[in-house]
Amino acid sequence: MRTCLCAILFVLAAPLPAHAQSADLVLCDRLAADPSDPDKPADVKGVTEIAAADIATAIKFCKQAAPSSRRAMFELGRAYAANRQTTDAAAAWRRAADKGSSAAMVELGVLYATGSGVAKDEAQARKLLERAAQAGNPRGVSNLAALGGTGAAPADPARARELLGKAAETNAEAQYQLGLMLSNGAGGEKDDVAARALFEKAAAQNHPGALERMGAFAQEGRGGPKDKDAAKAYYERAAALGDEDAKKALERLRCPYAIKDKQGKLVTTLCF
């Protein structure tokens, strides 16, 4: 009877580590998921920046989830980076990239391009960003275009547009990035109408940057009708998701008039 009871207890206890691991990943996602990470599940919102009060907790749970999840390993890198542990962030992103995380490839590529926490190596940066771009990661495409070519070779924004165009069929981040290129005339003709349409698609998926851009386009009447009420609504949605530019835009809407002295220095603003 004793042996049987022990066996039953063992069977009941066996699944617990798996449940604990799953709980770790849920908490890791909640605190440190990147909204633009292609590995992120659709039901996970993600955060643009990890809140200072959440960093230690994010490191704890992401570290526990990381051995069995490349997404958690990438998120652990984000938590380390938020804590200014750049060397640890690079190590986590390297492990996640080795497991196929295109988001980690992008972050690691940026570190190599800038020499932050690792020795500056543009060739390695290019290699990582190309892998991310080939995997369909929009930030890999846009960062690769920004990096430019090796040596004297120029950047190829036209190629970046082409790659983003393919990813933009289904991906909100790609829609946003391509919209930026079209609105700035990078890699081809400037097209505010097409840019606005892309921002609108991404905004419908609650992309913070696209919501902010839709607010700006609606406020200025770029690529479509001018609508101050719609602009404010877009800004409010973006600000609720943490977009700092949207928060500033809302403040400008609230306080539109600036009073300056004879030297041109700001004295006060009139708010409504």
Side-chain angles (χ1 to χ4, degrees):
M1 181 66 180
R2 181 185 181 88
T3 303
C4 182
L5 180 59
C6 288
I8 292 171
L9 290 173
F10 178 79
V11 171
L12 290 174
L16 290 178
H19 287 302
Q21 179 66 40
S22 177
D24 291 334
L25 182 55
V26 168
L27 287 166
C28 177
D29 278 339
R30 184 180 302 167
L31 299 174
D34 186 337
S36 67
D37 182 6
D39 283 346
K40 181 184 69 63
D43 61 345
V44 174
K45 182 179 178 181
V47 292
T48 305
E49 293 183 6
I50 300 174
D54 292 336
I55 292 173
T57 307
I59 290 174
K60 174 184 176 181
F61 288 106
C62 291
K63 186 182 289 187
Q64 291 170 187
S68 59
S69 169
R70 75 182 188 190
R71 183 173 80 251
M73 185 65 76
F74 163 66
E75 291 166 6
L76 176 60
R78 292 193 82 211
Y80 279 139
N83 206 37
R84 298 184 180 180
Q85 296 175 243
T86 312
T87 301
D88 291 326
W93 285 332
R94 189 174 292 109
R95 288 192 290 271
D98 288 343
K99 293 180 179 181
S101 169
S102 64
M105 295 172 198
V106 172
E107 297 299 346
L108 193 57
V110 170
L111 291 187
Y112 276 114
T114 58
S116 301
V118 296
K120 189 172 182 178
D121 188 337
E122 283 201 8
Q124 183 66 10
R126 173 168 293 280
K127 181 178 179 181
L128 285 160
L129 293 173
E130 284 177 345
R131 284 177 60 198
Q134 289 167 2
N137 189 301
R139 290 188 62 233
V141 176
S142 56
N143 278 284
L144 184 60
L147 181 64
T150 302
D156 189 354
R159 175 59 175 161
R161 269 202 191 194
E162 180 184 348
L163 291 170
L164 283 171
K166 295 177 181 177
E169 294 174 5
T170 57
N171 185 278
E173 178 67 17
Q175 291 158 5
Y176 170 65
Q177 294 288 349
L178 182 56
L180 290 178
M181 295 194 77
L182 290 168
S183 66
N184 294 325
E189 291 185 8
K190 184 176 179 178
D191 190 338
D192 280 349
V193 174
R196 184 166 178 156
L198 286 162
F199 290 143
E200 191 169 17
K201 285 182 180 179
Q205 299 167 71
N206 285 325
H207 187 289
L211 285 164
E212 185 277 330
R213 285 292 80 202
M214 276 303 300
F217 271 50
Q219 183 180 2
E220 299 166 16
R222 287 182 64 181
K226 190 172 184 177
D227 189 332
K228 290 185 178 180
D229 290 336
K232 184 180 179 183
Y234 279 121
Y235 285 142
E236 287 174 341
R237 287 173 60 193
L241 294 171
D243 190 278
E244 293 300 323
D245 288 335
K247 293 176 184 178
K248 292 174 183 177
L250 281 173
E251 184 62 18
R252 289 193 296 270
L253 287 178
R254 192 177 71 85
C255 305
Y257 299 109
I259 298 176
K260 300 180 180 179
D261 62 18
K262 292 180 179 180
Q263 286 73 41
K265 294 181 180 179
L266 180 66
V267 176
T268 187
T269 56
L270 294 179
C271 304
F272 301 97

